[in-house]
PDB file of all heavy atoms in Angstrom:
ATOM      1  N   MET A  27      19.163  67.832  46.849  1.00  0.00           N
ATOM      2  CA  MET A  27      20.421  68.405  46.374  1.00  0.00           C
ATOM      3  C   MET A  27      20.460  69.919  46.603  1.00  0.00           C
ATOM      4  O   MET A  27      21.480  70.463  47.006  1.00  0.00           O
ATOM      5  CB  MET A  27      20.611  68.097  44.883  1.00  0.00           C
ATOM      6  CG  MET A  27      20.724  66.620  44.565  1.00  0.00           C
ATOM      7  SD  MET A  27      22.187  65.855  45.260  1.00  0.00           S
ATOM      8  CE  MET A  27      23.460  66.642  44.330  1.00  0.00           C
ATOM      9  N   SER A  28      19.354  70.593  46.369  1.00  0.00           N
ATOM     10  CA  SER A  28      19.286  72.047  46.572  1.00  0.00           C
ATOM     11  C   SER A  28      19.476  72.412  48.036  1.00  0.00           C
ATOM     12  O   SER A  28      20.097  73.426  48.352  1.00  0.00           O
ATOM     13  CB  SER A  28      17.944  72.591  46.078  1.00  0.00           C
ATOM     14  OG  SER A  28      17.830  72.405  44.686  1.00  0.00           O
ATOM     15  N   SER A  29      18.935  71.579  48.930  1.00  0.00           N
ATOM     16  CA  SER A  29      19.067  71.868  50.362  1.00  0.00           C
ATOM     17  C   SER A  29      20.528  71.798  50.827  1.00  0.00           C
ATOM     18  O   SER A  29      20.869  72.296  51.886  1.00  0.00           O
ATOM     19  CB  SER A  29      18.199  70.914  51.189  1.00  0.00           C
ATOM     20  OG  SER A  29      18.757  69.611  51.212  1.00  0.00           O
ATOM     21  N   HIS A  30      21.386  71.196  50.011  1.00  0.00           N
ATOM     22  CA  HIS A  30      22.817  71.114  50.325  1.00  0.00           C
ATOM     23  C   HIS A  30      23.625  72.169  49.560  1.00  0.00           C
ATOM     24  O   HIS A  30      24.843  72.076  49.456  1.00  0.00           O
ATOM     25  CB  HIS A  30      23.348  69.711  50.007  1.00  0.00           C
ATOM     26  CG  HIS A  30      22.916  68.672  50.986  1.00  0.00           C
ATOM     27  ND1 HIS A  30      21.601  68.336  51.184  1.00  0.00           N
ATOM     28  CD2 HIS A  30      23.627  67.907  51.841  1.00  0.00           C
ATOM     29  CE1 HIS A  30      21.522  67.401  52.106  1.00  0.00           C
ATOM     30  NE2 HIS A  30      22.742  67.126  52.526  1.00  0.00           N
ATOM     31  N   GLY A  31      22.927  73.148  48.993  1.00  0.00           N
ATOM     32  CA  GLY A  31      23.598  74.258  48.334  1.00  0.00           C
ATOM     33  C   GLY A  31      23.903  74.068  46.867  1.00  0.00           C
ATOM     34  O   GLY A  31      24.590  74.878  46.267  1.00  0.00           O
ATOM     35  N   ASN A  32      23.398  73.006  46.267  1.00  0.00           N
ATOM     36  CA  ASN A  32      23.639  72.763  44.848  1.00  0.00           C
ATOM     37  C   ASN A  32      22.582  73.447  43.995  1.00  0.00           C
ATOM     38  O   ASN A  32      21.430  73.568  44.402  1.00  0.00           O
ATOM     39  CB  ASN A  32      23.616  71.256  44.562  1.00  0.00           C
ATOM     40  CG  ASN A  32      24.700  70.527  45.313  1.00  0.00           C
ATOM     41  OD1 ASN A  32      25.869  70.718  45.050  1.00  0.00           O
ATOM     42  ND2 ASN A  32      24.310  69.701  46.264  1.00  0.00           N
ATOM     43  N   ILE A  33      22.972  73.863  42.813  1.00  0.00           N
ATOM     44  CA  ILE A  33      22.021  74.402  41.841  1.00  0.00           C
ATOM     45  C   ILE A  33      21.750  73.302  40.831  1.00  0.00           C
ATOM     46  O   ILE A  33      22.685  72.746  40.251  1.00  0.00           O
ATOM     47  CB  ILE A  33      22.584  75.659  41.150  1.00  0.00           C
ATOM     48  CG1 ILE A  33      22.860  76.740  42.201  1.00  0.00           C
ATOM     49  CG2 ILE A  33      21.626  76.158  40.086  1.00  0.00           C
ATOM     50  CD1 ILE A  33      23.620  77.932  41.665  1.00  0.00           C
ATOM     51  N   ILE A  34      20.486  72.988  40.630  1.00  0.00           N
ATOM     52  CA  ILE A  34      20.081  71.863  39.785  1.00  0.00           C
ATOM     53  C   ILE A  34      19.419  72.379  38.508  1.00  0.00           C
ATOM     54  O   ILE A  34      18.559  73.248  38.556  1.00  0.00           O
ATOM     55  CB  ILE A  34      19.071  70.957  40.536  1.00  0.00           C
ATOM     56  CG1 ILE A  34      19.564  70.586  41.926  1.00  0.00           C
ATOM     57  CG2 ILE A  34      18.719  69.742  39.686  1.00  0.00           C
ATOM     58  CD1 ILE A  34      20.875  69.843  41.962  1.00  0.00           C
ATOM     59  N   TYR A  35      19.825  71.820  37.387  1.00  0.00           N
ATOM     60  CA  TYR A  35      19.184  72.084  36.102  1.00  0.00           C
ATOM     61  C   TYR A  35      18.735  70.744  35.544  1.00  0.00           C
ATOM     62  O   TYR A  35      19.492  69.767  35.604  1.00  0.00           O
ATOM     63  CB  TYR A  35      20.164  72.716  35.110  1.00  0.00           C
ATOM     64  CG  TYR A  35      20.645  74.088  35.506  1.00  0.00           C
ATOM     65  CD1 TYR A  35      21.781  74.244  36.291  1.00  0.00           C
ATOM     66  CD2 TYR A  35      19.968  75.219  35.073  1.00  0.00           C
ATOM     67  CE1 TYR A  35      22.230  75.503  36.656  1.00  0.00           C
ATOM     68  CE2 TYR A  35      20.417  76.484  35.432  1.00  0.00           C
ATOM     69  CZ  TYR A  35      21.546  76.616  36.220  1.00  0.00           C
ATOM     70  OH  TYR A  35      21.994  77.865  36.567  1.00  0.00           O
ATOM     71  N   ARG A  36      17.529  70.689  35.020  1.00  0.00           N
ATOM     72  CA  ARG A  36      17.044  69.485  34.341  1.00  0.00           C
ATOM     73  C   ARG A  36      16.610  69.895  32.933  1.00  0.00           C
ATOM     74  O   ARG A  36      15.433  70.111  32.683  1.00  0.00           O
ATOM     75  CB  ARG A  36      15.864  68.865  35.097  1.00  0.00           C
ATOM     76  CG  ARG A  36      16.271  68.140  36.349  1.00  0.00           C
ATOM     77  CD  ARG A  36      15.133  67.341  36.941  1.00  0.00           C
ATOM     78  NE  ARG A  36      14.155  68.224  37.553  1.00  0.00           N
ATOM     79  CZ  ARG A  36      12.845  67.993  37.584  1.00  0.00           C
ATOM     80  NH1 ARG A  36      12.354  66.917  37.043  1.00  0.00           N
ATOM     81  NH2 ARG A  36      12.038  68.843  38.159  1.00  0.00           N
ATOM     82  N   PRO A  37      17.560  70.011  32.025  1.00  0.00           N
ATOM     83  CA  PRO A  37      17.195  70.468  30.680  1.00  0.00           C
ATOM     84  C   PRO A  37      16.329  69.440  29.963  1.00  0.00           C
ATOM     85  O   PRO A  37      16.562  68.240  30.063  1.00  0.00           O
ATOM     86  CB  PRO A  37      18.541  70.631  29.975  1.00  0.00           C
ATOM     87  CG  PRO A  37      19.481  69.752  30.730  1.00  0.00           C
ATOM     88  CD  PRO A  37      18.986  69.711  32.148  1.00  0.00           C
ATOM     89  N   SER A  38      15.333  69.944  29.271  1.00  0.00           N
ATOM     90  CA  SER A  38      14.505  69.071  28.439  1.00  0.00           C
ATOM     91  C   SER A  38      15.143  68.980  27.068  1.00  0.00           C
ATOM     92  O   SER A  38      15.654  69.965  26.538  1.00  0.00           O
ATOM     93  CB  SER A  38      13.090  69.627  28.311  1.00  0.00           C
ATOM     94  OG  SER A  38      12.456  69.564  29.555  1.00  0.00           O
ATOM     95  N   LEU A  39      15.097  67.800  26.502  1.00  0.00           N
ATOM     96  CA  LEU A  39      15.679  67.576  25.190  1.00  0.00           C
ATOM     97  C   LEU A  39      14.647  67.866  24.106  1.00  0.00           C
ATOM     98  O   LEU A  39      13.452  67.611  24.291  1.00  0.00           O
ATOM     99  CB  LEU A  39      16.184  66.138  25.099  1.00  0.00           C
ATOM    100  CG  LEU A  39      17.190  65.731  26.175  1.00  0.00           C
ATOM    101  CD1 LEU A  39      17.547  64.256  26.039  1.00  0.00           C
ATOM    102  CD2 LEU A  39      18.433  66.604  26.139  1.00  0.00           C
ATOM    103  N   THR A  40      15.108  68.370  22.989  1.00  0.00           N
ATOM    104  CA  THR A  40      14.225  68.694  21.872  1.00  0.00           C
ATOM    105  C   THR A  40      13.361  67.485  21.504  1.00  0.00           C
ATOM    106  O   THR A  40      13.870  66.380  21.310  1.00  0.00           O
ATOM    107  CB  THR A  40      15.050  69.133  20.644  1.00  0.00           C
ATOM    108  OG1 THR A  40      15.818  70.279  21.008  1.00  0.00           O
ATOM    109  CG2 THR A  40      14.160  69.464  19.460  1.00  0.00           C
ATOM    110  N   GLY A  41      12.054  67.706  21.452  1.00  0.00           N
ATOM    111  CA  GLY A  41      11.105  66.656  21.092  1.00  0.00           C
ATOM    112  C   GLY A  41      10.604  65.846  22.269  1.00  0.00           C
ATOM    113  O   GLY A  41       9.756  64.977  22.108  1.00  0.00           O
ATOM    114  N   GLN A  42      11.114  66.127  23.467  1.00  0.00           N
ATOM    115  CA  GLN A  42      10.729  65.379  24.665  1.00  0.00           C
ATOM    116  C   GLN A  42      10.108  66.335  25.688  1.00  0.00           C
ATOM    117  O   GLN A  42      10.335  67.540  25.647  1.00  0.00           O
ATOM    118  CB  GLN A  42      11.956  64.700  25.280  1.00  0.00           C
ATOM    119  CG  GLN A  42      12.688  63.769  24.337  1.00  0.00           C
ATOM    120  CD  GLN A  42      11.859  62.563  23.963  1.00  0.00           C
ATOM    121  OE1 GLN A  42      11.479  61.778  24.816  1.00  0.00           O
ATOM    122  NE2 GLN A  42      11.561  62.426  22.687  1.00  0.00           N
ATOM    123  N   GLY A  43       9.351  65.778  26.643  1.00  0.00           N
ATOM    124  CA  GLY A  43       8.777  66.584  27.719  1.00  0.00           C
ATOM    125  C   GLY A  43       7.991  67.768  27.193  1.00  0.00           C
ATOM    126  O   GLY A  43       7.229  67.649  26.235  1.00  0.00           O
ATOM    127  N   GLU A  44       8.204  68.918  27.815  1.00  0.00           N
ATOM    128  CA  GLU A  44       7.464  70.113  27.398  1.00  0.00           C
ATOM    129  C   GLU A  44       7.921  70.639  26.042  1.00  0.00           C
ATOM    130  O   GLU A  44       7.331  71.563  25.501  1.00  0.00           O
ATOM    131  CB  GLU A  44       7.543  71.216  28.470  1.00  0.00           C
ATOM    132  CG  GLU A  44       8.859  71.939  28.554  1.00  0.00           C
ATOM    133  CD  GLU A  44       9.890  71.244  29.434  1.00  0.00           C
ATOM    134  OE1 GLU A  44       9.671  70.112  29.895  1.00  0.00           O
ATOM    135  OE2 GLU A  44      10.953  71.846  29.640  1.00  0.00           O
ATOM    136  N   ARG A  45       8.960  70.023  25.461  1.00  0.00           N
ATOM    137  CA  ARG A  45       9.434  70.421  24.135  1.00  0.00           C
ATOM    138  C   ARG A  45       8.998  69.424  23.060  1.00  0.00           C
ATOM    139  O   ARG A  45       9.567  69.356  21.984  1.00  0.00           O
ATOM    140  CB  ARG A  45      10.955  70.579  24.169  1.00  0.00           C
ATOM    141  CG  ARG A  45      11.369  71.672  25.181  1.00  0.00           C
ATOM    142  CD  ARG A  45      12.827  71.903  25.234  1.00  0.00           C
ATOM    143  NE  ARG A  45      13.226  72.564  23.987  1.00  0.00           N
ATOM    144  CZ  ARG A  45      14.465  72.560  23.534  1.00  0.00           C
ATOM    145  NH1 ARG A  45      15.426  71.949  24.186  1.00  0.00           N
ATOM    146  NH2 ARG A  45      14.768  73.169  22.410  1.00  0.00           N
ATOM    147  N   VAL A  46       7.950  68.648  23.369  1.00  0.00           N
ATOM    148  CA  VAL A  46       7.445  67.629  22.449  1.00  0.00           C
ATOM    149  C   VAL A  46       6.950  68.253  21.145  1.00  0.00           C
ATOM    150  O   VAL A  46       6.989  67.624  20.092  1.00  0.00           O
ATOM    151  CB  VAL A  46       6.347  66.760  23.113  1.00  0.00           C
ATOM    152  CG1 VAL A  46       5.071  67.552  23.343  1.00  0.00           C
ATOM    153  CG2 VAL A  46       6.071  65.501  22.305  1.00  0.00           C
ATOM    154  N   HIS A  47       6.528  69.501  21.204  1.00  0.00           N
ATOM    155  CA  HIS A  47       6.048  70.180  19.990  1.00  0.00           C
ATOM    156  C   HIS A  47       7.160  70.378  18.959  1.00  0.00           C
ATOM    157  O   HIS A  47       6.894  70.664  17.801  1.00  0.00           O
ATOM    158  CB  HIS A  47       5.394  71.521  20.346  1.00  0.00           C
ATOM    159  CG  HIS A  47       6.346  72.510  20.945  1.00  0.00           C
ATOM    160  ND1 HIS A  47       6.837  72.403  22.241  1.00  0.00           N
ATOM    161  CD2 HIS A  47       6.922  73.618  20.427  1.00  0.00           C
ATOM    162  CE1 HIS A  47       7.658  73.391  22.487  1.00  0.00           C
ATOM    163  NE2 HIS A  47       7.738  74.152  21.400  1.00  0.00           N
ATOM    164  N   LEU A  48       8.406  70.188  19.364  1.00  0.00           N
ATOM    165  CA  LEU A  48       9.547  70.310  18.456  1.00  0.00           C
ATOM    166  C   LEU A  48       9.999  68.954  17.913  1.00  0.00           C
ATOM    167  O   LEU A  48      11.036  68.861  17.261  1.00  0.00           O
ATOM    168  CB  LEU A  48      10.718  71.000  19.175  1.00  0.00           C
ATOM    169  CG  LEU A  48      10.434  72.416  19.677  1.00  0.00           C
ATOM    170  CD1 LEU A  48      11.598  72.933  20.520  1.00  0.00           C
ATOM    171  CD2 LEU A  48      10.139  73.352  18.519  1.00  0.00           C
ATOM    172  N   SER A  49       9.226  67.927  18.200  1.00  0.00           N
ATOM    173  CA  SER A  49       9.567  66.573  17.764  1.00  0.00           C
ATOM    174  C   SER A  49       9.597  66.482  16.242  1.00  0.00           C
ATOM    175  O   SER A  49       8.750  67.053  15.554  1.00  0.00           O
ATOM    176  CB  SER A  49       8.545  65.587  18.325  1.00  0.00           C
ATOM    177  OG  SER A  49       8.927  64.284  18.013  1.00  0.00           O
ATOM    178  N   SER A  50      10.601  65.768  15.748  1.00  0.00           N
ATOM    179  CA  SER A  50      10.770  65.602  14.309  1.00  0.00           C
ATOM    180  C   SER A  50      11.678  64.405  14.073  1.00  0.00           C
ATOM    181  O   SER A  50      12.574  64.138  14.884  1.00  0.00           O
ATOM    182  CB  SER A  50      11.419  66.869  13.737  1.00  0.00           C
ATOM    183  OG  SER A  50      12.053  66.615  12.506  1.00  0.00           O
ATOM    184  N   PRO A  51      11.498  63.708  12.947  1.00  0.00           N
ATOM    185  CA  PRO A  51      12.434  62.625  12.633  1.00  0.00           C
ATOM    186  C   PRO A  51      13.857  63.127  12.394  1.00  0.00           C
ATOM    187  O   PRO A  51      14.797  62.348  12.357  1.00  0.00           O
ATOM    188  CB  PRO A  51      11.869  61.993  11.354  1.00  0.00           C
ATOM    189  CG  PRO A  51      10.508  62.532  11.186  1.00  0.00           C
ATOM    190  CD  PRO A  51      10.418  63.790  11.983  1.00  0.00           C
ATOM    191  N   ASP A  52      14.038  64.452  12.249  1.00  0.00           N
ATOM    192  CA  ASP A  52      15.361  65.027  12.019  1.00  0.00           C
ATOM    193  C   ASP A  52      16.140  65.274  13.309  1.00  0.00           C
ATOM    194  O   ASP A  52      17.336  65.556  13.264  1.00  0.00           O
ATOM    195  CB  ASP A  52      15.242  66.338  11.243  1.00  0.00           C
ATOM    196  CG  ASP A  52      14.713  66.107   9.841  1.00  0.00           C
ATOM    197  OD1 ASP A  52      15.035  65.063   9.241  1.00  0.00           O
ATOM    198  OD2 ASP A  52      13.956  66.970   9.343  1.00  0.00           O
ATOM    199  N   VAL A  53      15.478  65.184  14.457  1.00  0.00           N
ATOM    200  CA  VAL A  53      16.169  65.356  15.738  1.00  0.00           C
ATOM    201  C   VAL A  53      17.124  64.185  15.911  1.00  0.00           C
ATOM    202  O   VAL A  53      16.745  63.029  15.729  1.00  0.00           O
ATOM    203  CB  VAL A  53      15.165  65.423  16.910  1.00  0.00           C
ATOM    204  CG1 VAL A  53      15.885  65.400  18.249  1.00  0.00           C
ATOM    205  CG2 VAL A  53      14.279  66.662  16.788  1.00  0.00           C
ATOM    206  N   ASP A  54      18.375  64.495  16.252  1.00  0.00           N
ATOM    207  CA  ASP A  54      19.360  63.422  16.433  1.00  0.00           C
ATOM    208  C   ASP A  54      20.104  63.610  17.756  1.00  0.00           C
ATOM    209  O   ASP A  54      19.805  64.533  18.522  1.00  0.00           O
ATOM    210  CB  ASP A  54      20.314  63.341  15.243  1.00  0.00           C
ATOM    211  CG  ASP A  54      21.107  64.618  14.986  1.00  0.00           C
ATOM    212  OD1 ASP A  54      21.189  65.483  15.885  1.00  0.00           O
ATOM    213  OD2 ASP A  54      21.673  64.752  13.886  1.00  0.00           O
ATOM    214  N   LEU A  55      21.042  62.724  18.018  1.00  0.00           N
ATOM    215  CA  LEU A  55      21.817  62.792  19.254  1.00  0.00           C
ATOM    216  C   LEU A  55      22.538  64.128  19.372  1.00  0.00           C
ATOM    217  O   LEU A  55      22.587  64.723  20.459  1.00  0.00           O
ATOM    218  CB  LEU A  55      22.817  61.629  19.311  1.00  0.00           C
ATOM    219  CG  LEU A  55      23.781  61.593  20.481  1.00  0.00           C
ATOM    220  CD1 LEU A  55      23.045  61.538  21.825  1.00  0.00           C
ATOM    221  CD2 LEU A  55      24.730  60.407  20.347  1.00  0.00           C
ATOM    222  N   ASN A  56      23.080  64.649  18.281  1.00  0.00           N
ATOM    223  CA  ASN A  56      23.768  65.941  18.334  1.00  0.00           C
ATOM    224  C   ASN A  56      22.834  67.065  18.750  1.00  0.00           C
ATOM    225  O   ASN A  56      23.255  68.003  19.432  1.00  0.00           O
ATOM    226  CB  ASN A  56      24.439  66.274  16.999  1.00  0.00           C
ATOM    227  CG  ASN A  56      25.751  65.547  16.831  1.00  0.00           C
ATOM    228  OD1 ASN A  56      26.383  65.155  17.813  1.00  0.00           O
ATOM    229  ND2 ASN A  56      26.161  65.359  15.600  1.00  0.00           N
ATOM    230  N   THR A  57      21.572  66.999  18.349  1.00  0.00           N
ATOM    231  CA  THR A  57      20.583  67.996  18.773  1.00  0.00           C
ATOM    232  C   THR A  57      20.474  67.980  20.294  1.00  0.00           C
ATOM    233  O   THR A  57      20.490  69.033  20.941  1.00  0.00           O
ATOM    234  CB  THR A  57      19.204  67.694  18.162  1.00  0.00           C
ATOM    235  OG1 THR A  57      19.306  67.601  16.741  1.00  0.00           O
ATOM    236  CG2 THR A  57      18.180  68.764  18.537  1.00  0.00           C
TER     237      THR A  57
END
């Protein structure tokens, strides 16, 4: 996609991936 001139973002969601340290039972869809 980048080779075609697009800018790509892959945001990590709270509590997932490299943001796993923020995991909590209080994280919801709105977060």
Side-chain angles (χ1 to χ4, degrees):
M27 297 295 293
S28 296
S29 73
H30 286 63
N32 298 293
I33 300 171
I34 310 300
Y35 295 90
R36 285 190 287 146
S38 293
L39 304 176
T40 301
Q42 303 294 299
E44 75 274 8
R45 299 182 71 201
V46 69
H47 64 287
L48 299 173
S49 185
S50 158
D52 294 325
V53 172
D54 59 17
L55 176 59
N56 280 336
T57 305

